Amino acid sequence: MNRSKCYGLCFFLLLAKTVVPGPLSAEDQLRARFLAEGPKGWKVLKSNVRELQGKWIGRYKLGVHPLIIEEATFKVNGGFLVYEERRREEKGQVDRVVAFGANSKYRFALQQPRPSSSWTLVNVGSAADPHRIDHPYSRASGVGFLRFLHTPFTVNSMPIPVMITEAGFKLEKVGELTRDGRKLAKIEFTYTPPKINVEVVNGRPVRRDMHMTKMRGGWMVLDPERNWSLQESSLDLVGGEKNTCIVEYAKSDSGVFLPSRVFEKDNAVSVWEVTFSDLTIRDIPEKEFTLTAYGLPEPMGVVWPSPTRWYLWITLAAVGAVVLGFVLRKLQRRYQTPKAVEPAKQ
């Protein structure tokens, strides 16, 4: 083969390699799965905790301060929620008993002056703007049960499906690891949240925003076979600090995996250990998110529509039809034309 033909063959092979890409590497395949399957899985995980009731116990310790234990029951149905919290110190003495709720018409806060005493209304207001700091939904998302129920699809209270679509997110590396026979994905990333205008009153923000996070990157371990749910994360925070989180799961009566234990350590000084129990997925009616459910009167001007008892209407319609048929039958007999009587034969 002469030199010109050799050059021509080499050029053809190089061109073919450029035009027809080779098979994707294992990392590229996993990266493609993460970007394509992840959002669908996180949507399922979010729907699993949209209609839910249960209990949780949170053990919280901040630096050298005494351990605080919170025991709570909760119900949530989309934007409606209600939860009762009993907080006690490490020695077991009950510090306070409070309840918060929100429905489509109003939000409220209750307290018990003494354990097992009657509920007293502390505050009632508009249910609009659930991201206000004083709204029960915002409170539950920041320091309450929602924050930990949402850990399967969030990191540092930041929804993963939102974060990966933003310009400040950069996917650095995707790798595979095996734990307890399950193949998991380790995602390394950097993140710069967009700048937001924070409304401040008396030096404190009025609303909670997901982009107020101090997270700037790190890594997270996800389970591709369980809707890409978060298993563990280690995050880099502003100022060189760290946030670590471990999530454990248990199968519910409905057959889906829900968080059973969450361990989170933030800023090397605050530690949360949360356990969930009696988690039940059900469509909870709005009447269970009202003051009436606590034996208290509704706020002035709030009127709930009476439920339509369709079975009563059907019964009344059936009875009416029978009565009408009976009346028509009687009238028909009364006004029926008598037959002509033939004259007798001589």
Side-chain angles (χ1 to χ4, degrees):
M1 182 182 297
N2 57 35
R3 182 174 297 181
S4 60
K5 290 182 178 180
C6 183
Y7 286 154
L9 180 60
C10 292
F11 176 77
F12 175 79
L13 293 175
L14 180 61
L15 181 63
K17 185 177 181 180
T18 304
V19 175
V20 183
L24 293 176
S25 65
E27 179 179 346
D28 289 337
Q29 291 181 25
L30 194 57
R31 179 188 296 260
R33 287 187 60 194
F34 166 72
L35 295 174
E37 300 175 8
K40 299 176 184 178
W42 300 318
K43 185 177 181 180
V44 172
L45 295 174
K46 187 175 182 179
S47 67
N48 289 343
V49 296
R50 180 176 175 82
E51 300 173 346
L52 194 67
Q53 71 176 42
K55 301 177 182 178
W56 78 302
I57 298 178
R59 295 172 173 84
Y60 175 68
K61 185 170 178 57
L62 177 61
V64 297
H65 295 281
L67 176 70
I68 295 176
I69 302 175
E70 287 191 352
E71 302 173 353
T73 60
F74 64 87
K75 298 177 183 179
V76 59
N77 191 342
F80 307 155
L81 75 169
V82 64
Y83 50 102
E84 303 172 18
E85 294 179 353
R86 180 185 298 268
R87 191 174 74 174
R88 56 188 175 89
E89 298 179 351
E90 191 172 6
K91 296 180 181 180
Q93 183 177 0
V94 176
D95 181 39
R96 66 174 185 179
V97 182
V98 294
F100 302 91
N103 50 57
S104 63
K105 296 182 181 293
Y106 61 88
R107 57 177 171 82
F108 62 88
L110 310 173
Q111 72 173 4
Q112 288 183 352
R114 298 177 307 279
S116 301
S117 63
S118 300
W119 289 104
T120 301
L121 182 64
V122 176
N123 178 270
V124 65
S126 172
D129 199 357
H131 297 293
R132 283 187 60 91
I133 295 297
D134 57 356
H135 195 286
Y137 190 92
S138 176
R139 184 181 181 277
S141 300
V143 296
F145 71 97
L146 278 182
R147 171 184 174 183
F148 301 101
L149 274 181
H150 291 175
T151 50
F153 52 91
T154 64
V155 282
N156 202 229
S157 299
M158 179 70 191
I160 301 174
V162 174
M163 179 179 66
I164 66 172
T165 63
E166 296 180 340
F169 176 81
K170 185 178 181 182
L171 189 55
E172 297 287 353
K173 186 178 180 181
V174 179
E176 187 178 81
L177 55 89
T178 302
R179 288 183 182 174
D180 300 326
R182 291 185 294 137
K183 292 185 178 181
L184 307 176
K186 183 176 181 181
I187 311 297
E188 300 180 29
F189 66 97
T190 58
Y191 178 64
T192 303
K195 293 182 179 181
I196 57 174
N197 295 321
V198 180
E199 183 181 355
V200 177
V201 175
N202 297 328
R204 301 185 62 182
V206 175
R207 293 176 178 80
R208 186 180 304 279
D209 191 294
M210 68 181 76
H211 295 113
M212 295 168 65
T213 178
K214 295 181 179 179
M215 175 182 59
R216 294 299 181 267
W219 55 262
M220 50 188 173
V221 176
L222 310 174
D223 188 346
E225 301 307 319
R226 292 182 181 174
N227 295 310
W228 293 85
S229 55
L230 180 71
Q231 309 295 306
E232 182 181 357
S233 64
S234 177
L235 307 175
D236 303 322
L237 307 181
V238 173
E241 297 177 333
K242 291 282 187 179
N243 171 283
T244 58
C245 181
I246 299 174
V247 188
E248 298 177 2
Y249 297 85
K251 184 176 289 188
S252 69
D253 294 338
S254 303
V256 301
F257 283 91
L258 297 171
S260 61
R261 178 179 178 271
V262 181
F263 179 84
E264 183 175 327
K265 186 175 183 181
D266 193 22
N267 299 335
V269 291
S270 65
V271 178
W272 271 102
E273 183 180 1
V274 173
T275 55
F276 289 99
S277 61
D278 299 336
L279 295 180
T280 303
I281 298 175
R282 74 180 183 95
D283 184 10
I284 308 174
E286 188 173 9
K287 66 180 181 180
E288 297 187 28
F289 302 95
T290 63
L291 288 173
T292 301
Y294 284 88
L296 298 174
E298 294 295 286
M300 184 176 297
V302 173
V303 178
W304 296 98
S306 300
T308 302
R309 299 183 177 181
W310 55 269
Y311 55 90
L312 291 180
W313 288 111
I314 293 177
T315 302
L316 290 175
V319 172
V322 172
V323 172
L324 180 61
F326 177 78
V327 172
L328 292 176
R329 184 65 176 171
K330 294 287 289 184
L331 292 174
Q332 183 182 18
R333 290 180 177 178
R334 175 177 297 183
Y335 296 105
Q336 187 176 20
T337 304
K339 296 181 178 180
V341 178
E342 298 181 357
K345 296 182 178 179
Q346 296 296 329

